[in-house]
Amino acid sequence: MQLLDQAVWGLYNEFATQVYYYSSWYDLNGDGIDEAVVHLVSPDACGTGGCNMYVYQWDKLSLRYQLISKTVGTSQPIYAASTKTNGWNDLIALRSGGGYPPSFMLLSFDYNNTPYPLSNGQALSYPYSLSNGQALSYPLSSEIVQSSILLMDSVGLYTNGSRKITR
């Protein structure tokens, strides 16, 4: 858990003193090593349209988590879908707030989804914005039946179920 904490701290400047996040591990690419799906719920990572979701992959060479994807404006629940794109499970995230009616968005791991180059040179990513996903029905129907839930919101935002890290 400390290595994931370090990776999450890498997103913040030296002035941040605490961060809250939910995390789940799931083998999204079928390589036998679980990726970390992180949903930040800190004031710096959330707005009226939701919070930031990050996907980290364990790098066996550097022995640390590498950021491979950032998606803004997501809400929980977040699911790993049974469908795959380019060998990676699609993700399903709730879009609500920010003037949007509640809807679930299917996020595919594809080329040129990210607006910025990733440090590991990866050209594949989940979409940076939910607007680049595919809208699914709300509430979810049979699309989710064969999917795995990764993160589910708790009642006590910033406390219950989330991990608080401080420096």
Side-chain angles (χ1 to χ4, degrees), residues 48-49 95-102:
T48 60
R95 175 171 66 179
S96 65
Y100 290 102

Side-chain angles (χ1 to χ4, degrees), residues 8-95:
V8 171
W9 268 126
L11 302 169
Y12 287 88
N13 65 33
E14 68 275 10
F15 300 111
T17 58
Q18 63 185 13
V19 174
Y20 293 90
Y21 71 89
Y22 292 86
S23 60
S24 182
W25 285 262
Y26 191 86
D27 186 6
L28 295 168
N29 63 1
D31 68 354
I33 302 171
D34 289 345
E35 281 68 44
V37 179
V38 172
H39 195 239
L40 269 69
V41 291
S42 296
D44 293 339
C46 298
T48 60
C51 301
N52 295 341
M53 176 184 71
Y54 299 90
V55 178
Y56 290 92
Q57 185 175 34
W58 180 251
D59 182 6
K60 292 183 272 189
L61 295 176
S62 66
L63 298 178
R64 62 188 183 108
Y65 285 99
Q66 298 284 341
L67 176 66
I68 61 165
S69 180
K70 173 184 179 180
T71 305
V72 299
T74 63
S75 297
Q76 295 182 43
I78 297 170
Y79 300 89
S82 57
T83 56
K84 292 185 176 220
T85 303
N86 293 311
W88 286 68
N89 286 85
D90 297 329
L91 295 177
I92 299 171
L94 178 64
R95 175 171 66 179

Side-chain angles (χ1 to χ4, degrees), residues 46-156:
C46 298
T48 60
C51 301
N52 295 341
M53 176 184 71
Y54 299 90
V55 178
Y56 290 92
Q57 185 175 34
W58 180 251
D59 182 6
K60 292 183 272 189
L61 295 176
S62 66
L63 298 178
R64 62 188 183 108
Y65 285 99
Q66 298 284 341
L67 176 66
I68 61 165
S69 180
K70 173 184 179 180
T71 305
V72 299
T74 63
S75 297
Q76 295 182 43
I78 297 170
Y79 300 89
S82 57
T83 56
K84 292 185 176 220
T85 303
N86 293 311
W88 286 68
N89 286 85
D90 297 329
L91 295 177
I92 299 171
L94 178 64
R95 175 171 66 179
S96 65
Y100 290 102
S103 61
F104 282 98
M105 302 300 288
L106 183 71
L107 307 173
S108 298
F109 196 76
D110 207 350
Y111 292 96
N112 302 316
N113 268 336
T114 183
Y116 56 92
L118 298 171
S119 60
N120 64 1
Q122 183 137 357
L124 293 166
S125 180
Y126 291 102
Y128 178 78
S129 170
L130 287 180
S131 299
N132 295 336
Q134 174 190 346
L136 301 173
S137 61
Y138 182 85
L140 282 175
S141 58
S142 61
E143 292 105 339
I144 204 63
V145 171
Q146 296 181 14
S147 301
S148 300
I149 189 162
L150 296 178
L151 299 167
M152 178 65 85
D153 219 348
S154 77
V155 177

